[in-house]
């Protein structure tokens, strides 16, 4: 069955420390992976997608098909990174887009 | 350019009542999606549509119905509201194959 797993509900990191939010997926087809972010009192918005291979707000994520992972990383956390982060999988076979349970990132001063 | 607009923003329903959550987009997106967001459960796909007249079930469709008579609108109907349907509902849309979702602001529904 298709699935997106984010094992951490809450991740607390000190400002300036590295951040890694984990995401694993299960899909037999060709996956397209995304990270979405929801800041306080704002709409859910795209942070980055694996096919663009770019860095947004200092975040990067690499698709590892062997480990079926798409972990989100940032070398130095900033207080404004505090938000809810969702990993998403687009399944082009049937046009569904599903999400993981989300990880709340809390940056400590 | 309003993007994705959801109404109402908040609603309280009694058990057994019915209501429709409205979603409209002005970006000419063919694909539209409804999700519910519950604490600790993330976003669950309820229904989606790839164009007018076409709808498909998502992960949690029970208790809901949808229709898609126009490209712009994708209403979500709750026929017999239950406390388990207390949630925040999000509508989203995208172009075919683009897969980058534009989200609405959400509708918070409480069933008492």
């Amino acid at each position: 069955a298709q699935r997106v797993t984010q094992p951490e509900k809450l991740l607390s990191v000190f400002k300036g420390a590295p951040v890694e939010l984990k995401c694993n997926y299960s899909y037999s087809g060709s996956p397209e992976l995304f990270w979405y972010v929801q800041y306080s009192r704002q709409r859910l918005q795209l942070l980055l997608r694996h096919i663009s291979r770019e860095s947004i707000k200092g975040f990067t994520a690499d698709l590892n098909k062997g480990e079926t992972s798409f972990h989100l990383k940032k070398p130095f956390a900033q207080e404004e990174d505090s938000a809810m982060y969702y990993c998403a999988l687009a399944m082009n076979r049937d046009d569904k887009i599903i999400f993981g349970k989300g990880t709340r990132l809390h940056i400590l001063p | 350019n309003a993007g994705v607009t959801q109404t109402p923003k908040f609603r309280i329903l009694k058990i057994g009542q019915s209501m429709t959550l409205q979603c409209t987009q002005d970006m000419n997106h063919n694909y539209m999606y409804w999700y519910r967001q519950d604490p600790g459960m993330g976003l669950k796909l309820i229904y989606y549509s790839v164009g007018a007249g076409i709808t498909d079930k998502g992960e949690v469709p029970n208790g809901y119905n949808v229709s898609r008579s126009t490209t712009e609108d994708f209403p979500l109907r709750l026929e017999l509201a239950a406390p388990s349907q207390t949630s925040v509902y999000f509508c989203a849309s995208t172009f075919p194959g683009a897969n980058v979702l534009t989200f609405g602001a959400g509708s918070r529904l409480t069933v008492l």
Side-chain angles (χ1 to χ4, degrees):
Chain A
Q2 305 95 338
R3 188 168 54 247
V4 177
T5 303
Q6 293 181 251
E8 304 126 336
K9 274 189 182 178
L10 172 66
L11 187 64
S12 295
V13 173
F14 283 103
K15 178 181 169 183
V19 174
E20 183 178 38
L21 285 77
K22 291 185 166 53
C23 172
N24 288 88
Y25 66 92
S26 172
Y27 181 50
S28 57
S30 182
E32 190 171 355
L33 276 296
F34 303 80
W35 278 99
Y36 283 82
V37 62
Q38 189 175 28
Y39 300 104
S40 180
R41 289 186 292 278
Q42 292 188 29
R43 298 189 185 201
L44 270 153
Q45 57 187 279
L46 177 72
L47 180 61
L48 51 79
R49 59 192 301 192
H50 90 264
I51 63 172
S52 58
R53 301 185 64 83
E54 56 189 344
S55 172
I56 305 291
K57 299 185 180 184
F59 285 98
T60 59
D62 290 314
L63 179 61
N64 185 324
K65 289 189 178 181
E67 296 183 357
T68 59
S69 68
F70 188 57
H71 302 326
L72 184 68
K73 299 177 184 179
K74 184 169 182 176
F76 307 105
Q78 297 171 283
E79 287 192 60
E80 54 264 34
D81 296 329
S82 291
M84 193 74 181
Y85 291 80
Y86 290 98
C87 184
L89 166 67
M91 296 174 282
N92 293 324
R93 220 160 37 199
D94 57 9
D95 300 310
K96 283 182 184 173
I97 301 176
I98 62 172
F99 285 76
K101 292 185 177 182
T103 298
R104 181 164 297 283
L105 178 62
H106 182 46
I107 306 302
L108 303 165
Chain B
N1 194 345
V4 178
T5 303
Q6 292 183 234
T7 56
K9 286 189 167 51
F10 304 95
R11 182 75 186 267
I12 298 175
L13 278 183
K14 293 184 179 177
I15 294 171
Q17 286 186 319
S18 301
M19 77 158 298
T20 300
L21 298 176
Q22 301 290 347
C23 176
T24 187
Q25 52 88 15
D26 61 0
M27 298 170 287
N28 207 30
H29 286 170
N30 287 87
Y31 288 17
M32 295 186 75
Y33 300 79
W34 272 107
Y35 295 91
R36 57 178 289 172
Q37 183 186 47
D38 300 296
M41 298 302 294
L43 289 157
K44 291 291 187 186
L45 179 63
I46 305 171
Y47 271 95
Y48 66 108
S49 168
V50 298
I54 306 169
T55 61
D56 277 296
K57 294 179 180 179
E59 301 169 285
V60 290
N62 291 346
Y64 306 95
N65 279 303
V66 292
S67 59
R68 186 91 183 273
S69 56
T70 67
T71 300
E72 295 78 19
D73 301 304
F74 190 39
L76 178 72
R77 182 145 182 93
L78 286 73
E79 289 295 347
L80 290 168
S84 61
Q85 294 177 304
T86 293
S87 188
V88 181
Y89 292 84
F90 287 98
C91 180
S93 68
T94 186
F95 286 114
N99 293 325
V100 175
L101 294 171
T102 299
F103 279 88
S107 297
R108 183 176 294 275
L109 176 66
T110 302
V111 182
L112 300 173

